[in-house]
Amino acid sequence: MQIIKSIESLRETLKPLQREGKTIGLVPTMGALHDGHGALIKESVKDCDVTVVSVFLNPIQFGRNEDLDKYPKRLEADANFAGSLGADYVFAPSVAEMYPDGDPLTMVRNETLECLYCGAYRSGHFRGVLTVVSKLFLISKADHAYFGEKDYQQVFLIEHMVKDLNFDIKIHRVPIVRDATGLALSSRNEYLTDDERKRALAISAGLKEAKDAYLAGEKGVSKLRDIVVKSIVLNRGQVQFVEIVNQHNLQKFSGVLKPTDKIVVLVAAFFGKTRLIDNIEFN
Ligand code: PAF
């Protein structure tokens, strides 16, 4: 496992491998790796000859009052973890390396979808994500890239970007990894107190309850939504949004669901000061 800090040296390292026809897998992360990232790395190692894990805390996807400064940082441990799973390189550039002139003047946007759901509460977030992910794709020239489905809107927007802009890369979605209690793994779970962590299980429990109700015949959008909201509120969580949306275009459903509708429920909620997201597909 080698840690590479400059764009030029990553390119120089990968170029001969690419010339030999080796396939490159990229796992973009912001560090503080956990088993959710582990699942992405394992998929890449399984599919590709060479796996690069990027560890870059991307400032342009954080709002002014968000947790950029307190986001956990532990590069050595991350590199050991990635290496133990078979990754070959960790690409860990500095902010100056990625953005030598400060915030880039050119950014990638999806003006239609970036303002929905998470984007409605995190202004500029998805523009920052799409911009850094584009840079990572262009720097690495990877053949495959791996993203977790916990960030459902993020992976949807990345897939759209790849299609819209003809990036020559295959995007792989990897299912959410949960701990034994059902909590979706996230680097931000580290912020939770023991009590908040217990109460935060209301998110996954509420999602499961809504799916069970759907499978048992409940097709009313507001009834299904209320099941999730109630679970969170009863456990003293603060709901930011619970939305029942179309997997194919992320548009909200209303009224009564049809049997052919492809449904995903997206949630964001606070437990204490920690904002958590989660989701569940019904079919
Ligand atoms: O999901 C994340 O960790 C980040 O949004 C990503 C995709 C690495 C871009 O900074």
Side-chain angles (χ1 to χ4, degrees), residues 27-31 37 54 56-58 61-62 71 125 128-130 132-133 136 146-148 151 154 158 187:
V27 181
T29 81
M30 297 200 298
H37 299 109
S54 63
F56 178 62
L57 192 52
N58 176 35
Q61 70 185 72
F62 286 79
Y71 203 88
H125 170 67
V129 170
L130 295 181
V132 79
V133 166
L136 292 167
Y146 296 80
F147 295 90
D151 297 287
Q154 169 173 281
I158 291 168
S187 304

Side-chain angles (χ1 to χ4, degrees), residues 26-28 36-44 46-47 113 137 143-163 169-177 245-251 262-266 279-283:
L26 174 71
V27 181
H37 299 109
L40 308 180
I41 296 169
K42 284 185 198 158
E43 281 299 301
S44 174
K46 179 161 66 68
D47 295 344
L113 299 177
F137 288 174
D143 305 284
H144 299 264
Y146 296 80
F147 295 90
E149 280 192 318
K150 184 175 73 67
D151 297 287
Y152 200 95
Q153 188 177 7
Q154 169 173 281
V155 72
F156 185 92
L157 290 176
I158 291 168
E159 286 169 342
H160 227 292
M161 174 184 80
V162 163
K163 191 160 173 260
I169 192 164
K170 181 168 167 40
I171 303 302
H172 299 256
R173 289 180 176 219
V174 178
I176 297 177
V177 179
V245 314
N246 189 324
Q247 291 170 23
H248 296 309
N249 57 18
L250 290 196
Q251 297 305 309
K262 297 293 280 179
I263 297 144
V264 57
V265 186
L266 305 178
N279 65 76
I280 199 166
E281 289 182 342
F282 281 180
N283 45 15

